[in-house]
Amino acid sequence: MSAESLIKMANQIGQYFASEPDHAVAVRGVYQHIKSFWTPGMRQQLQGWQQMHPEAVLHPLVREALAQPEGTT
């Protein structure tokens, strides 16, 4: 899958959870959605791309979710 597609999908997830008034719950929601519904390869590709392009336009909730240590719930 292209990086552009992953970014678009990740940003849509971030936008969905942006209406959550509790910021921590929103970040956990993004994290859990990506962990539950994306393949490990998709997650790794997005994380690798974000590390190589830190200036990339990712929704702030997505950036925070990607920074969560593995196993966070």
Side-chain angles (χ1 to χ4, degrees):
M1 183 170 283
S2 73
E4 292 82 14
S5 295
L6 293 174
I7 293 163
K8 180 179 178 182
M9 290 189 310
N11 284 338
Q12 288 172 335
I13 295 165
Q15 189 61 41
Y16 174 82
F17 283 99
S19 63
E20 169 60 53
D22 185 325
H23 184 77
V25 171
V27 173
R28 280 194 306 272
V30 172
Y31 174 86
Q32 192 60 48
H33 182 91
I34 290 174
K35 183 177 178 190
S36 296
F37 297 106
W38 287 32
T39 66
M42 291 168 67
R43 294 192 306 265
Q44 290 170 354
Q45 185 179 356
L46 182 64
Q47 286 177 323
W49 189 89
Q50 197 270 329
Q51 288 173 353
M52 291 175 51
H53 303 92
E55 75 287 349
V57 182
L58 281 176
H59 193 283
L61 293 174
V62 175
R63 287 180 189 225
E64 288 184 60
L66 290 177
Q68 298 296 307
E70 199 62 32
T72 301
T73 57

